[in-house]
């Protein structure tokens, strides 16, 4: 494992994407414990892409336009669904003083689905991980698995940081309902933008 891998991974993880936006939304709506569930789900959603890259299945998405398009538009539909859900379903970002008894499994499952239905994630791993494997590696498969695991651990803790920040801001937002209304609109707009961006990707 090299310093270049750690630095590049950190930059990739910390850049805001669907997982970050979702974790922030849950942190605001359901507090720190909810954001941990979101971070765990988003991290778990990386597993299929990492495994696909390690065993070579992501090459299929790279070479098959049909396979890529099918997964892509499933992802697009899910992102648009998330945008609509944030605007219309108050349970996604419902603010209250009491953060007990929220559906942590449901939160984690939604986070996982956001990454599972992102075909660009498996292509990212296909292009990213092999760069840091030495040609003389005795067991490149194990090395790829180790790098993927490190990337996932980093993702989990960085997302927890984002969620903690959002949870810390809850008190300010709870006292200002109009602020929450605009935040929900912004999050919904970001999910819609990311869906549109994925829709036009090749």
């Amino acid at each position: 494992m090299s310093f270049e891998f750690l630095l590049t991974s950190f930059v990739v993880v910390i850049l805001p994407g669907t997982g970050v936006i979702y974790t922030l939304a849950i942190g605001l709506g359901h507090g720190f414990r909810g954001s941990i569930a979101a971070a765990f789900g988003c991290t778990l959603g990386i597993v299929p892409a990492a495994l696909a890259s390690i065993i070579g299945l992501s090459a299929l998405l790279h070479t098959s336009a049909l396979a890529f398009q099918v997964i892509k538009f499933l992802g697009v539909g899910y992102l648009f669904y998330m945008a609509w859900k944030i605007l219309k379903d108050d349970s996604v970002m419902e603010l209250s003083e009491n953060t007990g008894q929220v559906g942590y499994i449901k939160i984690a499952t939604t986070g996982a689905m956001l990454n599972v239905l992102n075909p660009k994630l498996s292509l990212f791993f296909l292009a990213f991980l092999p760069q840091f494997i030495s040609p003389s590696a005795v067991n490149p498969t194990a090395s790829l698995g180790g790098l993927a695991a490190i990337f996932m651990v980093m993702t989990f803790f960085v997302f927890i940081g984002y969620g903690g920040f959002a949870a810390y801001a809850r008190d300010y937002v709870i006292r200002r309902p109009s602020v929450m209304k605009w935040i929900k609109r912004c999050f919904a707009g970001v999910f819609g933008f990311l869906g549109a961006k994925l829709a036009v990707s090749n």
Side-chain angles (χ1 to χ4, degrees), residues 152-197:
M152 290 174 61
V153 169
M154 187 178 294
T155 298
F156 180 65
F157 284 105
V158 169
F159 279 26
I160 285 181
Y162 275 117
F165 171 78
Y168 180 77
R170 274 176 55 84
D171 290 339
Y172 174 85
V173 177
I174 284 175
R175 293 192 297 267
R176 296 165 177 81
S178 61
V179 173
M180 188 58 186
K181 183 183 295 185
W182 282 104
I183 289 176
K184 287 178 67 174
R185 290 173 180 173
C186 288
F187 280 146
V190 170
F191 275 117
F193 169 76
L194 291 172
K197 185 179 178 182

Side-chain angles (χ1 to χ4, degrees), residues 25-200:
I26 294 299
L28 277 172
H30 298 286
F32 185 57
R33 290 185 179 181
S35 70
I36 292 177
F40 178 77
C42 291
T43 303
L44 195 64
I46 296 174
V47 173
L51 288 177
S53 299
I54 291 169
I55 64 179
L57 289 179
S58 57
L60 174 64
L61 287 178
H62 185 65
T63 56
S64 172
L66 178 60
F68 181 84
Q69 294 295 324
V70 169
I71 300 298
K72 181 181 81 169
F73 282 109
L74 286 174
V76 169
Y78 200 72
L79 287 171
F80 285 150
Y81 166 75
M82 283 300 300
W84 175 85
K85 193 173 179 64
I86 286 176
L87 283 177
K88 300 298 183 181
D89 186 353
D90 290 336
S91 67
V92 178
M93 294 182 66
E94 182 180 2
L95 274 176
S96 65
E97 299 286 354
N98 180 19
T99 58
Q101 296 303 318
V102 295
Y104 295 127
I105 293 178
K106 183 178 179 181
I107 289 173
T109 301
T110 301
M113 289 296 292
L114 284 171
N115 276 340
V116 169
L117 293 177
N118 183 2
K120 303 185 87 173
L121 187 61
S122 60
L123 297 186
F124 163 77
F125 273 108
L126 177 66
F128 178 67
L129 291 182
Q131 298 180 48
F132 301 96
I133 301 298
S134 170
S136 59
V138 177
N139 192 340
T141 300
S143 299
L144 286 169
L147 293 180
I150 292 170
F151 184 89
M152 290 174 61
V153 169
M154 187 178 294
T155 298
F156 180 65
F157 284 105
V158 169
F159 279 26
I160 285 181
Y162 275 117
F165 171 78
Y168 180 77
R170 274 176 55 84
D171 290 339
Y172 174 85
V173 177
I174 284 175
R175 293 192 297 267
R176 296 165 177 81
S178 61
V179 173
M180 188 58 186
K181 183 183 295 185
W182 282 104
I183 289 176
K184 287 178 67 174
R185 290 173 180 173
C186 288
F187 280 146
V190 170
F191 275 117
F193 169 76
L194 291 172
K197 185 179 178 182
L198 179 60
V200 298

